[in-house]
Every structure is written in C-alpha cells, then in structure tokens.
Amino acid sequence: DSGNVLATGYLDYKVYRSTDNGATWDAGVLVAAGAGLSGITQLSNGHVLALGTLTNIVYRSTDNGATWDAGVLVATGAGLSGITQLSNGTILVTGNSSNKIYRSADNGTTWDAGTTIAGANLTGVTQLASGHVVAVDNAANKIYRSLNNGYTWDAGSRVALGAGIIGISQLANGEVIASATNGRIYKSTKLSAFVRIWYDQSGRNLQATQASVFLQPRIVNAGVIETSNGKPAVY
C-alpha cells in the first residue's frame, strides 16, 4: 500500500524493493539464512508475509519489508510456495511437497493442519473477483477451483501438458493468467463478467453501484451467460 513493489529471492533469501514500479531494485534485505523465499503478500492490516520454502516458515514484517521476525512454522516438510489473503481475511498458503493448502484465521499467527489435494504439487493460490479460489498444480499442470474459500476443491482443469505451471493471477481486466517454467504465460479465455454500476434509465441519475468485486452481481460465469429456467439472468 506504500506503492512499492516487493520481490523474493529464493537463492539468497532476500526481499528486494522497487520504488519505481519494478524499473530498478535495491540491494535487498536478508530475511532468514536458508529460507528459500518463494512468495510474498501484504495483508489487509498492512503486515507483509513472506514464505520460506526450505524452512516451511512464514516470516512477518510490520514495516513494509524493512525488517523481519523469526517467523512461524506452518508444517514440517510442507514446501511452502504460494500465499494469498481471501476477502474474508483468511490466509491460504500452498504446500508444494505436502499436497496441502494451509489456513490461518489470525493473520498468520497460527495455522491449521491443511486440506489435501491428492497428488497435487501446489505452487500458487489466489482468489478471483468471482469469489472463487484457484490453486495451481505444478505436477499435473492443473488449476483447481474452490467455491467455499478453500475447504473443498474440484477435480481441476489442465492448462497444458508439460507446461510446469507455477503461478496464477487475475488482471484488472478480469483475465486470468498462469505462469509456467516453460517460459510461457497462459491466459484464460473463459472469463466471468460482473455488474459494478447499474445505470438508471429514468434520467434522474440514480445509479445503483457495488464497489466490492466480491459482491457484484454476475451475468457471465466462466464464459457462459448466467441463466434461470433457460433465460438470461443475474446471479
């Protein structure tokens, strides 16, 4: 929220800062020797959390990444790799080695035993504007979807054979993109559409608005028009 960009260093265990939208970077701040940093996010309370893949620890900074604490162990052997905070405040992190998604309801102070997605080498997780949560599987190159904030997951959809999918994000225009170790960026063409402003047609300028993307009415779901009894509808 300071406008800076933070990036993690897997090999040197540092967090780097850019104050010019990624054009240049500072010398970095050491978080913890041997951590193998692989993910970072800022929480709604302003704290920044960084993942240690090799230590399975979540490290915290309360000063925008200038200094870091000793961290909290999530689960031995987890291989932490991706992190996101949901709209309800819950934090999810993925375990690349444990095939689990771990949950914290107290801003990363404590973590549950994790939810297993069998056989999935999980490397990324995020919440879409639709409210759905999606997780990336590097082994099967699938993206799994959860409709209940990560408690249960579908069978997943394959992006591309042999791609090595490692990350996922949603752009401002609604497109979902996934990054891969084969050097490619994959884009979802089955987008969802939401209504932010419902314009008043009476001429009195009494628009109905919904600023929160998680509460906006949906008219297209994953490329398919919402219907009720076979007719176009608003969900």
Side-chain angles (χ1 to χ4, degrees):
D1 57 15
S2 66
N4 294 345
V5 183
L6 299 180
T8 53
Y10 181 81
L11 297 178
D12 62 3
Y13 327 128
K14 290 183 177 182
V15 168
Y16 296 89
R17 180 188 308 274
S18 173
T19 59
D20 54 11
N21 294 313
T24 60
W25 296 84
D26 68 8
V29 174
L30 179 66
V31 175
L37 301 176
S38 63
I40 192 166
T41 194
Q42 186 172 40
L43 306 181
S44 57
N45 66 2
H47 294 181
V48 180
L49 300 185
L51 300 182
T53 299
L54 303 180
T55 57
N56 300 300
I57 288 176
V58 174
Y59 302 94
R60 182 187 306 272
S61 173
T62 59
D63 54 10
N64 290 311
T67 60
W68 296 84
D69 68 6
V72 174
L73 177 67
V74 175
T76 302
L80 304 181
S81 53
I83 183 169
T84 194
Q85 185 174 35
L86 306 182
S87 58
N88 65 3
T90 299
I91 304 169
L92 300 182
V93 299
T94 54
N96 181 253
S97 301
S98 64
N99 315 125
K100 288 185 176 182
I101 293 181
Y102 303 92
R103 177 185 305 271
S104 174
D106 53 11
N107 289 314
T109 302
T110 60
W111 297 86
D112 70 3
T115 299
T116 300
I117 300 181
N121 289 1
L122 302 167
T123 54
V125 63
T126 195
Q127 187 172 41
L128 304 180
S130 62
H132 297 176
V133 182
V134 289
V136 171
D137 177 359
N138 178 254
N141 297 297
K142 285 185 175 182
I143 293 178
Y144 301 91
R145 183 187 304 268
S146 173
L147 306 183
N148 56 6
N149 292 321
Y151 284 103
T152 59
W153 298 83
D154 68 8
S157 58
R158 181 171 282 110
V159 177
L161 287 172
I165 303 298
I166 55 174
I168 190 165
S169 183
Q170 187 168 32
L171 305 181
N173 66 359
E175 293 178 347
V176 179
I177 59 172
S179 57
T181 56
N182 66 2
R184 294 187 177 185
I185 299 290
Y186 296 89
K187 181 175 68 173
S188 170
T189 57
K190 294 184 177 180
L191 306 179
S192 297
F194 299 84
V195 179
R196 182 183 181 193
I197 301 177
W198 210 290
Y199 288 97
D200 176 19
Q201 301 300 310
S202 72
R204 293 183 294 169
N205 201 34
L206 299 175
Q207 276 67 250
T209 63
Q210 177 51 267
S212 172
V213 294
F214 301 106
L215 298 176
Q216 290 169 3
R218 187 176 66 210
I219 56 177
V220 176
N221 183 22
V224 180
I225 295 175
E226 291 282 6
T227 61
S228 178
N229 295 323
K231 297 180 179 181
V234 177
Y235 176 83

